mmCIF file of all heavy atoms in Angstrom:
data_model
loop_
_atom_site.group_PDB
_atom_site.id
_atom_site.type_symbol
_atom_site.label_atom_id
_atom_site.label_comp_id
_atom_site.label_asym_id
_atom_site.label_seq_id
_atom_site.Cartn_x
_atom_site.Cartn_y
_atom_site.Cartn_z
ATOM 1 N N ALA K 383 133.251 25.374 -19.609
ATOM 2 C CA ALA K 383 133.450 26.827 -19.671
ATOM 3 C C ALA K 383 132.594 27.540 -18.631
ATOM 4 O O ALA K 383 133.056 28.466 -17.947
ATOM 5 C CB ALA K 383 133.119 27.329 -21.071
ATOM 6 N N LEU K 384 131.326 27.068 -18.514
ATOM 7 C CA LEU K 384 130.441 27.699 -17.538
ATOM 8 C C LEU K 384 130.939 27.467 -16.114
ATOM 9 O O LEU K 384 130.946 28.382 -15.279
ATOM 10 C CB LEU K 384 129.020 27.156 -17.695
ATOM 11 C CG LEU K 384 128.302 27.547 -19.000
ATOM 12 C CD1 LEU K 384 126.961 26.849 -19.091
ATOM 13 C CD2 LEU K 384 128.123 29.059 -19.084
ATOM 14 N N ILE K 385 131.353 26.204 -15.850
ATOM 15 C CA ILE K 385 131.815 25.881 -14.496
ATOM 16 C C ILE K 385 133.096 26.647 -14.158
ATOM 17 O O ILE K 385 133.210 27.278 -13.102
ATOM 18 C CB ILE K 385 132.032 24.362 -14.353
ATOM 19 C CG1 ILE K 385 130.688 23.627 -14.452
ATOM 20 C CG2 ILE K 385 132.715 24.030 -13.033
ATOM 21 C CD1 ILE K 385 130.815 22.121 -14.467
ATOM 22 N N ILE K 386 134.061 26.560 -15.114
ATOM 23 C CA ILE K 386 135.349 27.213 -14.853
ATOM 24 C C ILE K 386 135.188 28.722 -14.717
ATOM 25 O O ILE K 386 135.731 29.341 -13.791
ATOM 26 C CB ILE K 386 136.350 26.869 -15.969
ATOM 27 C CG1 ILE K 386 136.688 25.363 -15.924
ATOM 28 C CG2 ILE K 386 137.623 27.696 -15.846
ATOM 29 C CD1 ILE K 386 137.535 24.896 -17.081
ATOM 30 N N SER K 387 134.431 29.296 -15.657
ATOM 31 C CA SER K 387 134.266 30.753 -15.600
ATOM 32 C C SER K 387 133.522 31.178 -14.332
ATOM 33 O O SER K 387 133.835 32.207 -13.727
ATOM 34 C CB SER K 387 133.510 31.248 -16.839
ATOM 35 O OG SER K 387 132.223 30.649 -16.909
ATOM 36 N N ARG K 388 132.549 30.336 -13.925
ATOM 37 C CA ARG K 388 131.807 30.677 -12.704
ATOM 38 C C ARG K 388 132.722 30.592 -11.478
ATOM 39 O O ARG K 388 132.689 31.462 -10.605
ATOM 40 C CB ARG K 388 130.608 29.749 -12.544
ATOM 41 C CG ARG K 388 129.751 30.086 -11.332
ATOM 42 C CD ARG K 388 128.519 29.214 -11.281
ATOM 43 N NE ARG K 388 127.695 29.549 -10.132
ATOM 44 C CZ ARG K 388 126.806 30.535 -10.087
ATOM 45 N NH1 ARG K 388 126.639 31.302 -11.158
ATOM 46 N NH2 ARG K 388 126.094 30.771 -9.003
ATOM 47 N N LEU K 389 133.545 29.511 -11.444
ATOM 48 C CA LEU K 389 134.443 29.355 -10.300
ATOM 49 C C LEU K 389 135.484 30.479 -10.247
ATOM 50 O O LEU K 389 135.798 31.000 -9.177
ATOM 51 C CB LEU K 389 135.133 27.985 -10.371
ATOM 52 C CG LEU K 389 134.228 26.773 -10.137
ATOM 53 C CD1 LEU K 389 135.016 25.488 -10.339
ATOM 54 C CD2 LEU K 389 133.626 26.815 -8.740
ATOM 55 N N ILE K 390 136.026 30.790 -11.446
ATOM 56 C CA ILE K 390 137.022 31.869 -11.485
ATOM 57 C C ILE K 390 136.396 33.196 -11.070
ATOM 58 O O ILE K 390 136.938 33.938 -10.239
ATOM 59 C CB ILE K 390 137.641 31.975 -12.888
ATOM 60 C CG1 ILE K 390 138.485 30.727 -13.187
ATOM 61 C CG2 ILE K 390 138.491 33.236 -13.015
ATOM 62 C CD1 ILE K 390 139.040 30.690 -14.581
ATOM 63 N N SER K 391 135.223 33.491 -11.643
ATOM 64 C CA SER K 391 134.588 34.773 -11.324
ATOM 65 C C SER K 391 134.145 34.822 -9.864
ATOM 66 O O SER K 391 134.174 35.889 -9.234
ATOM 67 C CB SER K 391 133.388 35.002 -12.250
ATOM 68 O OG SER K 391 132.414 33.977 -12.069
ATOM 69 N N ARG K 392 133.748 33.625 -9.316
ATOM 70 C CA ARG K 392 133.345 33.618 -7.904
ATOM 71 C C ARG K 392 134.521 33.984 -7.003
ATOM 72 O O ARG K 392 134.377 34.750 -6.035
ATOM 73 C CB ARG K 392 132.800 32.242 -7.543
ATOM 74 C CG ARG K 392 132.220 32.181 -6.132
ATOM 75 C CD ARG K 392 131.583 30.841 -5.864
ATOM 76 N NE ARG K 392 132.559 29.771 -5.893
ATOM 77 C CZ ARG K 392 132.234 28.467 -5.738
ATOM 78 N NH1 ARG K 392 130.972 28.126 -5.586
ATOM 79 N NH2 ARG K 392 133.173 27.552 -5.763
ATOM 80 N N SER K 393 135.697 33.403 -7.352
ATOM 81 C CA SER K 393 136.888 33.745 -6.564
ATOM 82 C C SER K 393 137.225 35.225 -6.699
ATOM 83 O O SER K 393 137.583 35.895 -5.719
ATOM 84 C CB SER K 393 138.076 32.893 -7.015
ATOM 85 O OG SER K 393 137.813 31.533 -6.808
ATOM 86 N N LEU K 394 137.097 35.713 -7.919
ATOM 87 C CA LEU K 394 137.399 37.128 -8.136
ATOM 88 C C LEU K 394 136.398 38.019 -7.417
ATOM 89 O O LEU K 394 136.759 39.062 -6.850
ATOM 90 C CB LEU K 394 137.409 37.438 -9.632
ATOM 91 C CG LEU K 394 138.536 36.780 -10.441
ATOM 92 C CD1 LEU K 394 138.367 37.082 -11.919
ATOM 93 C CD2 LEU K 394 139.895 37.270 -9.947
ATOM 94 N N TYR K 395 135.102 37.584 -7.460
ATOM 95 C CA TYR K 395 134.089 38.354 -6.741
ATOM 96 C C TYR K 395 134.379 38.349 -5.240
ATOM 97 O O TYR K 395 134.195 39.363 -4.538
ATOM 98 C CB TYR K 395 132.696 37.801 -7.005
ATOM 99 C CG TYR K 395 132.122 38.201 -8.344
ATOM 100 C CD1 TYR K 395 131.542 37.264 -9.190
ATOM 101 C CD2 TYR K 395 132.144 39.538 -8.750
ATOM 102 C CE1 TYR K 395 131.027 37.622 -10.414
ATOM 103 C CE2 TYR K 395 131.627 39.911 -9.977
ATOM 104 C CZ TYR K 395 131.063 38.953 -10.814
ATOM 105 O OH TYR K 395 130.554 39.323 -12.019
ATOM 106 N N ALA K 396 134.850 37.156 -4.754
ATOM 107 C CA ALA K 396 135.180 37.074 -3.320
ATOM 108 C C ALA K 396 136.344 38.007 -2.982
ATOM 109 O O ALA K 396 136.325 38.705 -1.951
ATOM 110 C CB ALA K 396 135.516 35.627 -2.943
ATOM 111 N N LEU K 397 137.361 38.010 -3.853
ATOM 112 C CA LEU K 397 138.488 38.912 -3.627
ATOM 113 C C LEU K 397 138.052 40.377 -3.723
ATOM 114 O O LEU K 397 138.503 41.237 -2.947
ATOM 115 C CB LEU K 397 139.597 38.619 -4.629
ATOM 116 C CG LEU K 397 140.414 37.345 -4.396
ATOM 117 C CD1 LEU K 397 141.391 37.134 -5.534
ATOM 118 C CD2 LEU K 397 141.146 37.420 -3.065
ATOM 119 N N ALA K 398 137.188 40.654 -4.686
ATOM 120 C CA ALA K 398 136.698 42.031 -4.815
ATOM 121 C C ALA K 398 135.912 42.445 -3.578
ATOM 122 O O ALA K 398 136.029 43.589 -3.085
ATOM 123 C CB ALA K 398 135.832 42.146 -6.068
ATOM 124 N N ASP K 399 135.102 41.489 -3.082
ATOM 125 C CA ASP K 399 134.332 41.786 -1.878
ATOM 126 C C ASP K 399 135.261 41.987 -0.681
ATOM 127 O O ASP K 399 135.046 42.873 0.159
ATOM 128 C CB ASP K 399 133.360 40.640 -1.604
ATOM 129 C CG ASP K 399 132.368 40.978 -0.509
ATOM 130 O OD1 ASP K 399 131.662 41.990 -0.634
ATOM 131 O OD2 ASP K 399 132.321 40.206 0.476
ATOM 132 N N GLU K 400 136.327 41.152 -0.629
ATOM 133 C CA GLU K 400 137.315 41.307 0.436
ATOM 134 C C GLU K 400 138.003 42.671 0.332
ATOM 135 O O GLU K 400 138.199 43.368 1.343
ATOM 136 C CB GLU K 400 138.341 40.179 0.345
ATOM 137 C CG GLU K 400 139.430 40.241 1.392
ATOM 138 C CD GLU K 400 138.958 39.781 2.762
ATOM 139 O OE1 GLU K 400 137.750 39.428 2.897
ATOM 140 O OE2 GLU K 400 139.768 39.778 3.690
#
Side-chain angles (χ1 to χ4, degrees):
L384 292 175
I385 293 174
I386 294 173
S387 60
R388 183 175 181 84
L389 291 176
I390 293 175
S391 61
R392 186 175 64 183
S393 299
L394 293 176
Y395 282 132
L397 286 175
D399 190 56
E400 179 76 359

